[in-house]
Amino acid sequence: MIKNYPSLEVDINGVPTTLYVQYPEWAKASTSGDVLSFNYNHRMYLSTQETLDPSKYYRANLLGGSVEFDIDLSNSGCGCLTALYTVRMPGVDSTSDSFKYCDGMAVGGSYCPEFDILEANKFSYRATSHACSAPNASGVYSSCDRNGSCSVDILTNPQANDFGPGASYTIDTQKAFHVKQSYLETDGQFSGYTTEFSQEGRSVWLNQLNCAGLNGITADMRDMVLVFSNWGSDSLDWLQHGVCSGSCSTTATSQTFTNLKITTK
């Protein structure tokens, strides 16, 4: 296990802050200042310290706040899924994983609430929430909404040619672009979110407002860990809607996040 993980400079409430990018032995990432880069089939978590301690993951109260960043998806093609999401780590029942990973799909065997800020490649983008049933007395979740609810999807957005590879799109994913997602709170409940893509003076908005399904992860959104990942599948029709075909390259896939800015309430 790696003892000292790479640092990443993050703007938290306007204050430059050093966090650390931690990942299991099968994954890897590289950082330089505020730049985070990784290739195919990796997953990593933001921590407040250089060495592994799941109790020291960086946790953000995002309700009434926002997450924004620049991203380059030009080498994340069809069949690839580049993700930035939040989960209620550490998983209490994730006993075989020293990182205590959990998510809304129980990918590693443990469920916990999840909010997907970005599930994307250069052809597609989606955000959604995965609420879970109440945990037992030990804090273990037995089931979650695996399909997700209160989603936004760039390919079902009524605006034509708003996102994709090439100069004909409002957001040309062959180049880096900016993402800002804000989390709305109404009467103490998570009620909606807005997502803005911007590039060279052009913007595309996706709004999910007053969606009752978000209420179920209100408490979770005040105490979430940020996760970055990439993986590939030949069954991504739920994301790509048939706009492209092919498998994710295991050798040419890469993505870069820069200028991560987190505003908390």
Side-chain angles (χ1 to χ4, degrees):
M1 184 181 298
I2 297 172
K3 294 183 178 180
N4 299 296
Y5 292 90
S7 62
L8 181 70
E9 298 304 311
V10 179
D11 182 312
I12 301 177
N13 297 322
V15 178
T17 304
T18 299
L19 297 179
Y20 297 89
V21 180
Q22 301 190 344
Y23 44 84
E25 292 182 359
W26 53 265
K28 188 177 181 181
S30 62
T31 65
S32 177
D34 64 1
V35 179
L36 168 64
S37 300
F38 52 98
N39 299 327
Y40 175 76
N41 199 32
H42 297 293
R43 186 171 69 224
M44 57 226 66
Y45 324 107
L46 287 186
S47 177
T48 60
Q49 70 174 31
E50 192 173 11
T51 55
L52 178 62
D53 180 347
S55 71
K56 301 298 184 181
Y57 288 139
Y58 172 71
R59 319 180 76 84
N61 176 6
L62 292 177
L63 282 190
S66 63
V67 173
E68 56 185 300
F69 50 90
D70 296 320
I71 187 169
D72 186 345
L73 291 172
S74 59
N75 291 314
S76 181
C78 201
C80 301
L81 194 150
T82 298
L84 169 59
Y85 55 106
T86 63
V87 292
R88 194 73 184 265
M89 289 172 69
V92 174
D93 58 337
S94 184
T95 56
S96 63
D97 176 17
S98 58
F99 293 85
K100 299 289 187 180
Y101 180 69
C102 60
D103 62 25
M105 303 291 286
V107 169
S110 297
Y111 280 115
C112 67
E114 173 182 347
F115 185 85
D116 297 323
I117 297 169
L118 173 138
E119 294 181 300
N121 57 40
K122 64 182 177 181
F123 297 97
S124 55
Y125 165 84
R126 187 174 187 258
T128 194
S129 65
H130 298 276
C132 300
S133 59
N136 65 19
S138 299
V140 176
Y141 295 92
S142 61
S143 65
C144 298
D145 175 12
R146 294 173 62 90
N147 292 328
S149 62
C150 301
S151 306
V152 295
D153 190 321
I154 197 70
L155 294 179
T156 60
N157 190 42
Q159 182 177 339
N161 297 323
D162 48 9
F163 183 99
S168 63
Y169 292 93
T170 304
I171 302 299
D172 177 5
T173 57
Q174 287 295 102
K175 300 185 290 185
F177 58 96
H178 189 73
V179 181
K180 181 176 181 179
Q181 192 169 82
S182 300
Y183 309 97
L184 311 180
E185 183 179 8
T186 304
D187 297 327
Q189 296 291 311
F190 183 24
S191 59
Y193 60 98
T194 64
T195 308
E196 181 189 13
F197 305 114
S198 57
Q199 184 185 63
E200 299 174 355
R202 304 180 302 274
S203 295
V204 172
W205 286 83
L206 296 174
N207 297 328
Q208 179 58 266
L209 307 176
N210 300 316
C211 185
L214 296 172
N215 297 170
I217 60 168
T218 295
D220 306 306
M221 290 296 286
R222 297 190 176 106
D223 192 32
M224 295 284 236
V225 174
L226 275 77
V227 183
F228 298 84
S229 74
N230 171 272
W231 51 277
S233 172
D234 292 332
S235 301
L236 288 182
D237 287 345
W238 56 269
L239 176 68
Q240 298 168 166
H241 302 288
V243 299
C244 65
S245 61
S247 299
C248 187
S249 171
T250 61
T251 57
T253 297
S254 65
Q255 46 273 303
T256 300
F257 290 80
T258 58
N259 301 317
L260 179 62
K261 180 178 181 180
I262 302 168
T263 302
T264 64
K265 187 174 180 181

